[in-house]
Amino acid sequence: AHLEAAGHVCILKDAFDFESPSEIANLILAENCEAALALHLYRGGRLLQGHRIPFGIIFGGTDVNEDANQGEKNIVMGRVLEEARFAVAFTESMKEMAQAQWVDPVFTREVKAKVRRAAGVRLIGEMPQEDLHAVVKNCFAVVNSSVSEGMSAAILEAMDLEVPVLARNIPGNAAVVKHEVTGLLFSNPQEFVHLAKRLVSDPALEKEIVGNGREYVRMYHSWQVERDTYQQLISKLEGNTED
């Protein structure tokens, strides 16, 4: 009634009346539907996937209390959220439960939307490691803007590939990046811009950082040393040594 009062023509359908997405496709074509609003992420939302019309989702209690705990349904619901333009939760607790289950799809959608509006920014999907390393080698620098890190594999890979590193100054990053020695650390966007421009204009600094970073990785993150260490640790589990 609210939507019709605003001038929209609405068709109300029960999801239980449809057995497959193809039946929804026929409905969309027959009624010339321009958008859809589904109640229940799984029950209604799954039927709207792949039809190339914008749709939104209204969470139901069944979504977060029951269906989310079933593996296959949970996966389908996450994919529905990736396509949905928005999702509505009736309570703050329901919103928090949904975010805990499917925060990645929601975040992914937000990132993709911002990238589309940002000039000069490209979002590249997953790729084989060899291809990824080839791309990184052709980059001017690798940026790590994480707000939390244990030990960033991306930073270590960049150092090993001889690519300069610009990283947010957080404990995990600062543990492997020494400012102006093995990389550059920034604390805010303004500092990042300043350091990036400095790196661009100072080839000597770039060369020094690259050399130090490569040496740091080879000295403290050697594959050979790591392999030998884990072999020794596993031997302890097997009872082959008392050391």
mmCIF file of all heavy atoms in Angstrom, residues 13-14 46 48 50 52 64 112 136 172 186 206 233:
data_model
loop_
_atom_site.group_PDB
_atom_site.id
_atom_site.type_symbol
_atom_site.label_atom_id
_atom_site.label_comp_id
_atom_site.label_asym_id
_atom_site.label_seq_id
_atom_site.Cartn_x
_atom_site.Cartn_y
_atom_site.Cartn_z
ATOM 1 N N LYS A 13 3.333 -11.589 -4.758
ATOM 2 C CA LYS A 13 3.354 -13.017 -5.009
ATOM 3 C C LYS A 13 3.942 -13.754 -3.810
ATOM 4 O O LYS A 13 4.808 -13.233 -3.112
ATOM 5 C CB LYS A 13 4.192 -13.342 -6.252
ATOM 6 C CG LYS A 13 3.620 -12.789 -7.550
ATOM 7 C CD LYS A 13 2.335 -13.521 -7.947
ATOM 8 C CE LYS A 13 1.806 -13.034 -9.280
ATOM 9 N NZ LYS A 13 0.573 -13.747 -9.686
ATOM 10 N N ASP A 14 3.472 -14.992 -3.596
ATOM 11 C CA ASP A 14 3.982 -15.840 -2.517
ATOM 12 C C ASP A 14 5.115 -16.706 -3.070
ATOM 13 O O ASP A 14 4.934 -17.410 -4.076
ATOM 14 C CB ASP A 14 2.853 -16.738 -1.991
ATOM 15 C CG ASP A 14 3.240 -17.481 -0.717
ATOM 16 O OD1 ASP A 14 4.452 -17.721 -0.512
ATOM 17 O OD2 ASP A 14 2.340 -17.821 0.066
ATOM 18 N N ARG A 46 16.486 -16.224 -3.148
ATOM 19 C CA ARG A 46 17.150 -17.174 -4.056
ATOM 20 C C ARG A 46 16.467 -17.246 -5.418
ATOM 21 O O ARG A 46 17.102 -17.556 -6.425
ATOM 22 C CB ARG A 46 17.206 -18.560 -3.420
ATOM 23 C CG ARG A 46 15.848 -19.200 -3.217
ATOM 24 C CD ARG A 46 15.949 -20.478 -2.404
ATOM 25 N NE ARG A 46 14.626 -21.033 -2.105
ATOM 26 C CZ ARG A 46 13.989 -21.885 -2.890
ATOM 27 N NH1 ARG A 46 14.557 -22.298 -4.016
ATOM 28 N NH2 ARG A 46 12.793 -22.337 -2.572
ATOM 29 N N LEU A 48 15.318 -14.759 -7.044
ATOM 30 C CA LEU A 48 15.568 -13.540 -7.819
ATOM 31 C C LEU A 48 16.972 -13.461 -8.400
ATOM 32 O O LEU A 48 17.283 -12.537 -9.144
ATOM 33 C CB LEU A 48 15.327 -12.308 -6.933
ATOM 34 C CG LEU A 48 13.886 -12.104 -6.465
ATOM 35 C CD1 LEU A 48 13.818 -10.946 -5.475
ATOM 36 C CD2 LEU A 48 12.962 -11.857 -7.650
ATOM 37 N N GLY A 50 20.159 -13.699 -10.648
ATOM 38 C CA GLY A 50 20.493 -13.835 -12.056
ATOM 39 C C GLY A 50 19.472 -13.330 -13.046
ATOM 40 O O GLY A 50 19.585 -13.592 -14.246
ATOM 41 N N ARG A 52 18.738 -10.080 -13.603
ATOM 42 C CA ARG A 52 19.144 -8.774 -14.123
ATOM 43 C C ARG A 52 18.129 -7.659 -13.873
ATOM 44 O O ARG A 52 18.056 -6.692 -14.621
ATOM 45 C CB ARG A 52 19.458 -8.877 -15.628
ATOM 46 C CG ARG A 52 20.611 -9.814 -15.929
ATOM 47 C CD ARG A 52 20.969 -9.817 -17.395
ATOM 48 N NE ARG A 52 22.081 -10.718 -17.661
ATOM 49 C CZ ARG A 52 22.619 -10.917 -18.860
ATOM 50 N NH1 ARG A 52 22.138 -10.265 -19.906
ATOM 51 N NH2 ARG A 52 23.617 -11.757 -19.003
ATOM 52 N N VAL A 64 17.924 -15.738 9.913
ATOM 53 C CA VAL A 64 19.069 -15.670 10.832
ATOM 54 C C VAL A 64 18.999 -16.697 11.954
ATOM 55 O O VAL A 64 20.026 -17.059 12.525
ATOM 56 C CB VAL A 64 19.195 -14.242 11.433
ATOM 57 C CG1 VAL A 64 19.553 -13.236 10.356
ATOM 58 C CG2 VAL A 64 17.914 -13.821 12.136
ATOM 59 N N LYS A 112 32.677 -2.557 -4.181
ATOM 60 C CA LYS A 112 32.462 -2.502 -5.627
ATOM 61 C C LYS A 112 31.754 -1.214 -6.036
ATOM 62 O O LYS A 112 32.070 -0.614 -7.073
ATOM 63 C CB LYS A 112 31.659 -3.717 -6.088
ATOM 64 C CG LYS A 112 32.450 -5.016 -6.062
ATOM 65 C CD LYS A 112 31.610 -6.180 -6.561
ATOM 66 C CE LYS A 112 32.425 -7.466 -6.602
ATOM 67 N NZ LYS A 112 31.609 -8.624 -7.058
ATOM 68 N N VAL A 136 52.249 -8.037 -9.511
ATOM 69 C CA VAL A 136 52.904 -7.282 -8.438
ATOM 70 C C VAL A 136 54.271 -6.774 -8.885
ATOM 71 O O VAL A 136 54.657 -5.633 -8.587
ATOM 72 C CB VAL A 136 53.039 -8.150 -7.170
ATOM 73 C CG1 VAL A 136 53.904 -7.439 -6.122
ATOM 74 C CG2 VAL A 136 51.663 -8.467 -6.593
ATOM 75 N N GLY A 172 51.254 -5.163 13.801
ATOM 76 C CA GLY A 172 51.586 -6.287 12.935
ATOM 77 C C GLY A 172 52.466 -5.888 11.769
ATOM 78 O O GLY A 172 53.407 -6.605 11.408
ATOM 79 N N PHE A 186 52.712 4.591 7.269
ATOM 80 C CA PHE A 186 51.876 5.789 7.360
ATOM 81 C C PHE A 186 50.785 5.581 8.409
ATOM 82 O O PHE A 186 50.356 4.458 8.665
ATOM 83 C CB PHE A 186 51.245 6.121 6.003
ATOM 84 C CG PHE A 186 50.346 5.047 5.457
ATOM 85 C CD1 PHE A 186 49.000 4.999 5.780
ATOM 86 C CD2 PHE A 186 50.856 4.052 4.616
ATOM 87 C CE1 PHE A 186 48.162 4.004 5.279
ATOM 88 C CE2 PHE A 186 50.041 3.055 4.103
ATOM 89 C CZ PHE A 186 48.686 3.023 4.434
ATOM 90 N N GLU A 206 63.821 4.418 -3.069
ATOM 91 C CA GLU A 206 63.180 3.203 -3.571
ATOM 92 C C GLU A 206 64.180 2.049 -3.643
ATOM 93 O O GLU A 206 63.901 0.931 -3.192
ATOM 94 C CB GLU A 206 62.585 3.453 -4.956
ATOM 95 C CG GLU A 206 61.950 2.208 -5.567
ATOM 96 C CD GLU A 206 61.620 2.368 -7.036
ATOM 97 O OE1 GLU A 206 61.844 3.471 -7.575
ATOM 98 O OE2 GLU A 206 61.160 1.393 -7.651
ATOM 99 N N LEU A 233 59.657 -29.518 14.939
ATOM 100 C CA LEU A 233 58.491 -29.459 15.821
ATOM 101 C C LEU A 233 57.620 -30.700 15.664
ATOM 102 O O LEU A 233 57.130 -31.263 16.649
ATOM 103 C CB LEU A 233 57.670 -28.199 15.513
ATOM 104 C CG LEU A 233 58.336 -26.873 15.876
ATOM 105 C CD1 LEU A 233 57.514 -25.697 15.362
ATOM 106 C CD2 LEU A 233 58.533 -26.752 17.388
#
